[in-house]
Amino acid sequence: MYAIAIIRYRRPIDEVLKVVDEHRAYLKRLIEQGLLLASGPFDPRYGGALLLRVPDEAVVATLDKIRDDDPFTQKGVAQYELLPWAPVFGKEELDKVFSRAP
């Protein structure tokens, strides 16, 4: 199962920037675990998005853990909107590109 996480900043950008290094280190761990496929900030910078691949049998628990373990959440500078996503068109191509199972 794929998922999209929309992250919205809830504090001024100068407060968010103080946590960015921790947040990015956390995202690198998600990549190593095979959970995070792509991420980046919006332009203009009011938040960002994550493209995730999560195990079908544990979608909700995995997404909740991803949100709860993020330093952005822990430090209260951002909030997540978690959207499980079942792509129809292009799914086969996504699966090929991201063949590494979580």
Side-chain angles (χ1 to χ4, degrees), residues 5-32:
I6 298 172
I7 300 171
R8 291 183 177 88
Y9 301 151
R10 292 296 173 227
R11 305 296 308 152
I13 190 67
D14 59 318
E15 290 182 40
V16 172
L17 292 175
K18 292 176 185 175
V19 187
V20 164
D21 288 342
E22 291 175 68
H23 170 72
R24 288 183 177 166
Y26 171 69
L27 295 180
K28 287 179 184 177
R29 291 192 302 274
L30 292 179
I31 290 170
E32 291 166 2

Side-chain angles (χ1 to χ4, degrees), residues 21-98:
D21 288 342
E22 291 175 68
H23 170 72
R24 288 183 177 166
Y26 171 69
L27 295 180
K28 287 179 184 177
R29 291 192 302 274
L30 292 179
I31 290 170
E32 291 166 2
Q33 295 170 30
L35 296 169
L36 178 61
L37 305 174
S39 68
F42 295 132
D43 185 16
R45 195 162 181 176
Y46 60 88
L50 311 177
L51 177 58
L52 303 157
R53 187 168 183 191
V54 297
D56 290 347
E57 66 278 358
V59 172
V60 173
T62 302
L63 292 176
D64 286 348
K65 182 166 177 40
I66 289 170
R67 176 199 60 221
D68 295 345
D69 289 351
D70 189 331
F72 273 2
T73 301
Q74 294 174 348
K75 301 210 173 166
V77 299
Q79 75 178 48
Y80 270 68
E81 180 178 359
L82 298 167
L83 305 165
W85 183 44
V88 175
F89 296 106
K91 182 181 183 309
E92 294 80 15
E93 292 303 313
L94 280 173
D95 290 345
K96 284 180 198 173
V97 171
F98 303 114

